[in-house]
Amino acid sequence: MSIERELNKRSGSKCELCGAEENLKVYQVLPTQKGGLDESILACTTCIDQIENPDNVDLNHWRCLNDSMWNENVAVQVVAWRMLSRMRAAGWPQELLDMMYLDEDTLAWAQATGEGEDDENKLVHRDSNGVILEHGDSVVLIKDLKVKGSSMVAKQGTAVRNIRLDHENAEYIEGKVDGQQIVIITQYVKKI
């Protein structure tokens, strides 16, 4: 059975965040380990747009989190926590966050994107042009790079898709080049 069909069954064909019944899509909650049903939610295009574009956030739309934060599905809890963290300065989201409990692994997943951190403590990964890189972005190498521990050379112009960010060092990202997972220094890449 497809993920979309399973999510429709799980959610009763409603957005798992706000309860909308139209314009529903599968939204994969990053970063993913295996993908699939446990790392996806069914969300409306309004919710997805506001999740992906922080400048578009409408505080009143997210009052729905008062109910959806208690959802039994971990991926829904993670998105609820991230959105509440993003809006916590408004007051009521912080009150909901204070009531919310996430186990250690779920909290680590929720925090993996840097949501909820103060801006001065947040690691920001930037490419050679200063453009902010995010988990899942695609980049291109701007210089031939020798891969440590192997005889491989990653050639200039090679596209690296679906990158992962190093959450301890803002200068490192990970990605696959010629089927091999490597660490790449951000100053040698440009976002596509």
Side-chain angles (χ1 to χ4, degrees), residues 23-40:
N23 302 317
L24 302 176
K25 291 183 176 181
V26 174
Y27 179 75
Q28 197 166 43
V29 182
L30 299 175
T32 58
Q33 297 295 322
K34 299 175 244 164
L37 187 64
D38 292 338
E39 296 178 354
S40 301

Side-chain angles (χ1 to χ4, degrees), residues 81-117:
W81 187 92
R82 288 178 182 171
M83 292 308 297
L84 289 170
S85 294
R86 183 181 296 173
M87 302 179 299
R88 70 176 179 253
W92 64 266
Q94 183 62 53
E95 292 172 15
L96 293 179
L97 269 174
D98 292 343
M99 288 190 280
M100 195 171 187
Y101 170 79
L102 299 179
D103 65 49
E104 201 172 296
D105 292 339
T106 306
L107 183 59
W109 182 19
Q111 292 174 330
T113 60
E115 213 60 74
E117 292 181 20

Side-chain angles (χ1 to χ4, degrees), residues 42-84:
L42 191 65
C44 67
T45 53
T46 302
C47 286
I48 292 171
D49 176 58
Q50 293 184 41
I51 290 167
E52 293 178 344
N53 302 298
D55 295 338
N56 296 347
V57 171
D58 172 12
L59 284 172
N60 286 326
H61 175 79
W62 292 104
R63 292 201 179 264
C64 60
L65 295 178
N66 190 34
D67 295 325
S68 56
M69 69 185 230
W70 303 110
N71 193 300
E72 63 187 31
N73 297 297
V74 175
V76 177
Q77 294 171 15
V78 166
V79 174
W81 187 92
R82 288 178 182 171
M83 292 308 297
L84 289 170

Side-chain angles (χ1 to χ4, degrees), residues 10 12 26 31-32 48 52 71 75 77 90 97 104 113 132 141 163 165 169-170 174 179-180 182 191:
R10 178 175 90 184
V26 174
T32 58
I48 292 171
E52 293 178 344
N71 193 300
Q77 294 171 15
L97 269 174
E104 201 172 296
T113 60
I132 295 176
L141 301 179
I163 63 168
L165 307 178
N169 190 329
E174 293 181 23
Q180 183 176 347
I182 64 170
K191 185 174 178 177

